[in-house]
Amino acid sequence: DKNDKKPDAKAALKKDNGPSKKTPKITKESPTSHVVLAITMPSLPILCVILWLFFYECGSASPPPFCVNPDLSPLEQAVAQEQPTSVLCRITWSIRGTGDSSMDQQCTVAPAPGTSPRLGATSFGASNSRLASVKDRLSKPFKALASKVQQVNENRKKPRKKKSIEMFASAYTVVARTPPHAKLVSKVSSAVFDSVPDFRKRAAKVPWGGNSATPWWKSDGKEVVSSYLKIMNYPKDLRTGFPFKKCSKKPDQCPAHFALEHTLEWREKYRPWLISPSGVEENKSGYVYTRGTTPTLPTQDKSNGHSIVWIRAGVQRPQDPILFFRNILNTLDRAVSESLSRSNHRVGKFNCFFDATNAVMLSSIWVVPKVITMLQDHYPNRLGMVFLVHLGRPAEFILNFVKPLLTKEVRDKIVVVTADQREEILETVVEDGFLPDYLGGTDTYKFDVKDYYKDYYKGTTKCTDEEAKEYIKTMPYHA
């Protein structure tokens, strides 16, 4: 203290037989003028008590707080004090699709029953080495596991030998410079305009996905007419059994242009781009949505990739089967629109991936034949391929029920993906970055109903529940 006087400090030193010759002289400028440490014989008992508290009490069953480093975990505290303990640890390893891994460790520490936790002063100094030894022993199995995890991650990064795309030719589109059978296409277009004079005006009101940028009928309609003629096998006399339910059993079948008029009527009355409040509620968990594309062939433009429709049958059970399946048609219409927009109106196709995990749809199976009729009549040559994943017994039953209702061309497009083929097949037909994590991919997309149906919330694609079911009365053929 600055108020201390020098004589008092010197007197304190003289009282203990005076300072030694080596003791520095205390002056005003001396750095020791603020702190003076003197160890004398009467201080020895106090020093002994401090040492006893540190070495004896820190080794007791309940050591004082000053013995424990608050930064240490319970396990490290026990090891630091060399207390015999029983330790229960739960270690959780997480391996993500991206190849990253993490570990979560939770330990509970308690003294071992029937043991004496006391220890002597001589062994206390070995706590650091003891702690390192225990950590090393505990980490050995985890290091081995970490090595395996690293190997798995490295294998993921290696390019895999993909299955030949010839196996899934329908999943890809080759855009021709001139449509095949151009004369037949022109004849059907002319026949449509002769049969329905206001065909163009009406067709302009039923665009794909409700998007005016992707009209259902564009200019001369070559793209649409070509799709129908392909399903009809390009009949030279322009007589066909398509649509199958309406025309296949007629003796003279139907004129080719009838199928286009039939679809125009359906799009006007069904309006697949619209969604109702109950329809949004049916798909709040995202059991059906469109996202991503299929890779294109090396000779084709990348924009020609098919859209992808994901169906997760076990995510949400149908409350209203009619609206439940309307959501599927709504998504398919949107997928066609996105494909057309991406490819400058050249492709307009989709591949479908059906994840049958926990699928229970038997209560809605009566609607399936009606939906299939709509798909075959009004989306000809729009389907690339259907890939069925995690096919359990309920899904197998539905598949066996549906197959007889499908044409041979459609049946040939269905692929059942087995567990040993899953990774290789899905990597072949899904563009990098779009395979969902629930199928072993890296896409962590989470369905957001408000974002997915943002046009509905804006009011542009919204209808009432009654309007969504009007087709049952106005077009009983599909009811």
Side-chain angles (χ1 to χ4, degrees), residues 350-378:
F350 59 85
N351 292 321
C352 183
F353 292 81
F354 187 94
D355 179 14
T357 304
N358 301 324
V360 181
M361 301 174 65
L362 299 181
S363 61
S364 308
I365 200 168
W366 61 273
V367 187
V368 173
K370 305 177 188 301
V371 175
I372 289 175
T373 300
M374 293 185 194
L375 289 172
Q376 291 187 149
D377 286 6
H378 310 305

Side-chain angles (χ1 to χ4, degrees), residues 68-379:
V68 180
N69 184 346
D71 295 331
L72 297 180
S73 67
L75 176 60
E76 290 171 329
Q77 291 174 12
V79 175
Q81 298 174 65
E82 296 189 349
Q83 293 184 10
T85 56
S86 113
V87 183
L88 175 64
C89 292
R90 172 175 290 177
I91 291 88
T92 305
W93 272 90
S94 301
I95 305 174
R96 300 176 183 83
T98 56
D100 298 330
S101 61
S102 61
M103 183 187 74
D104 179 37
Q105 175 180 326
Q106 295 179 344
C107 295
T108 304
V109 183
T115 61
S116 174
R118 294 183 60 174
L119 40 98
T122 55
S123 62
F124 188 82
S127 60
N128 290 336
S129 60
R130 174 75 65 90
L131 178 61
S133 174
V134 171
K135 279 188 171 182
D136 184 60
R137 291 201 307 273
L138 289 177
S139 65
K140 282 182 179 179
F142 305 133
K143 285 180 179 178
L145 181 57
S147 177
K148 292 182 180 179
V149 171
Q150 187 177 6
Q151 186 177 0
V152 169
N153 294 338
E154 289 176 354
N155 289 338
R156 281 182 178 274
K157 296 176 183 177
K158 293 179 180 178
R160 293 181 175 273
K161 183 180 179 182
K162 295 184 177 182
K163 283 187 174 293
S164 174
I165 60 175
E166 283 79 9
M167 293 183 63
F168 314 113
S170 297
Y172 304 88
T173 293
V174 177
V175 178
R177 292 184 178 179
T178 56
H181 308 278
K183 290 184 179 180
L184 285 179
V185 172
S186 180
K187 285 182 179 181
V188 172
S189 297
S190 299
V192 167
F193 300 144
D194 292 340
S195 177
V196 184
D198 61 345
F199 187 89
R200 283 193 179 92
K201 184 178 179 180
R202 290 169 57 187
K205 298 178 181 179
V206 292
W208 291 108
N211 182 3
S212 59
T214 53
W216 175 68
W217 184 277
K218 185 178 179 181
S219 60
D220 55 2
K222 288 181 180 179
E223 188 268 336
V224 174
V225 176
S226 296
S227 296
Y228 281 78
L229 285 176
K230 184 174 182 179
I231 296 298
M232 301 172 187
N233 292 320
Y234 302 102
K236 293 182 179 180
D237 60 355
L238 295 182
R239 306 295 298 186
T240 176
F242 181 85
F244 305 113
K245 189 175 178 182
K246 271 186 171 292
C247 302
S248 60
K249 294 182 181 180
K250 290 184 178 183
D252 58 347
Q253 299 184 322
C254 297
H257 63 81
F258 169 77
L260 292 159
E261 298 170 18
H262 177 55
T263 296
L264 175 61
E265 181 188 5
W266 177 80
R267 293 190 69 81
E268 289 176 326
K269 295 179 177 178
Y270 191 87
R271 294 173 292 176
W273 61 89
L274 296 182
I275 199 78
S276 69
S278 295
V280 171
E281 185 67 20
E282 285 283 347
N283 197 30
K284 64 181 180 181
S285 300
Y287 79 88
V288 59
Y289 63 93
T290 178
R291 176 175 171 81
T293 61
T294 296
T296 54
L297 301 176
T299 58
Q300 294 290 303
D301 190 290
K302 289 186 177 181
S303 62
N304 292 343
H306 294 191
S307 295
I308 296 181
V309 173
W310 306 95
I311 299 178
R312 306 181 67 189
V315 169
Q316 190 170 340
R317 294 190 179 185
Q319 300 300 316
D320 186 327
I322 292 177
L323 295 179
F324 185 86
F325 283 101
R326 184 185 179 91
N327 282 334
I328 295 179
L329 291 172
N330 174 272
T331 300
L332 299 183
D333 218 63
R334 179 190 295 206
V336 173
S337 174
E338 291 180 0
S339 176
L340 289 170
S341 178
R342 204 168 41 244
S343 64
N344 193 23
H345 225 274
R346 293 174 301 191
V347 181
K349 290 190 173 186
F350 59 85
N351 292 321
C352 183
F353 292 81
F354 187 94
D355 179 14
T357 304
N358 301 324
V360 181
M361 301 174 65
L362 299 181
S363 61
S364 308
I365 200 168
W366 61 273
V367 187
V368 173
K370 305 177 188 301
V371 175
I372 289 175
T373 300
M374 293 185 194
L375 289 172
Q376 291 187 149
D377 286 6
H378 310 305
Y379 293 86

